[in-house]
Amino acid sequence: MSDTHSDVRVRAADGGYDVVVVGGGAAGLSAALVLARARRRVAVVDAGEPRNAPAAHLRGFLTRDGMPPGELLAAGRAELRGYGVDLLDGRVDRIVPVPGTGAPAFDVHPAEGRALRARRVVVATGLRDGLPELPGLAARWGRDVLHCPYCHGYEVRDRPLGVLGTDPGSVGQALLLRQWSADVVLLAHTLDLAGADRARLGARGVRVVEGEAVRAVVVDDRLHGVELADGAVVPREALFLVPRPEARDAPLFGLDCDRDAQGWVATDRTGRTGVPGVWAVGNLTDPRAQVITAAGAGSAAAIALNHDLVDEDTALALAAVTAPLATAVPTAAPAR
């Protein structure tokens, strides 16, 4: 169970936190763990909407392959409690810089409860996958309507697989899936395939089916196939598609972070944004990051952030030592 906001008031009353982490997925929890072990005062605010919630298992995470995603997060939260990290359930509406402090400082505003004061902020709110408006897809998402071959390809190996042509990346997805099954079909749907792409698909043994898809056909709670506009059904046991990633970056709107050409928050390789004191990690900045990748990014960000705080702490300590010397009144020389 998470702490309530009233519980946290006591903890934060004497000056707030070194770091508030916004988002409690693999990236955010990993960052919080490293920072707590660096003896920083940390709070995590999480809306409870992980990207991989529809999936029954996470894959490719060494020692955790096959674990339900929720169990990984629960284990991570339990570890953080052991280090005294404050865990809050809730959505952060905005992050507001605190003026006149002489160093980065922020008020992190949850939708409910009082703001949390932080010297640094890590935003790890992830993304949501936008799906085509095709009946049946959303209900099967993460089950037998899938995205990442590296996450799910092994579980559907040697079965009839389909790729829904909604994006130029669908061609590459179909070519990649041929690694897991000899029976891969690219449903052209709304994709205008170039001749070169058709040649590559043919050479790889991927069949192209023309016609617009109208719905996913489900029988006995399993994907049976995809129905086309002419009424034909293409039998498939799993369907892959390229979703439209939508960053959950609302907390950053008021901070004027730099963006890349695609509109994603720009960071350096440690997750540092262009706003001093603010880091962004995980799927929020890298839509292709898997769980293990996001966790690693959170760890790297935490180490860089702690070094940033050490530099600030050192500068403050030095100023405290040198200030009295600079203001001391010289002793008068004795008279002769």
Side-chain angles (χ1 to χ4, degrees), residues 246-257:
E246 302 167 358
R248 290 191 171 108
D249 56 0
L252 292 171
F253 285 171
L255 293 177
D256 197 25
C257 293

Side-chain angles (χ1 to χ4, degrees), residues 17-22 42-45 108 116-118 120-122:
Y17 295 94
D18 289 312
V19 186
V20 170
V21 179
V22 183
V42 182
V44 177
V45 186
V108 179
L116 306 177
R117 179 65 56 87
R120 301 291 188 273
V121 178
V122 177

Side-chain angles (χ1 to χ4, degrees), residues 199-251:
R200 295 169 66 215
L201 291 164
R204 182 74 165 149
V206 176
R207 183 163 57 96
V208 176
V209 174
E210 305 293 345
E212 186 171 346
V214 295
R215 71 182 181 100
V217 179
V218 178
V219 177
D220 295 330
D221 197 33
R222 296 177 67 91
L223 182 70
H224 176 70
V226 179
E227 183 178 346
L228 305 180
D230 62 4
V233 173
V234 182
R236 297 289 94 182
E237 293 185 16
L239 180 68
F240 285 75
L241 57 85
V242 178
R244 182 182 67 257
E246 302 167 358
R248 290 191 171 108
D249 56 0

Side-chain angles (χ1 to χ4, degrees), residues 35 98 114 127 131 149 230 257 264 266-267 301 314:
L35 289 163
V98 179
R114 64 177 288 176
L127 62 79
L131 302 179
D230 62 4
C257 293
W264 294 80
T267 69
T314 303

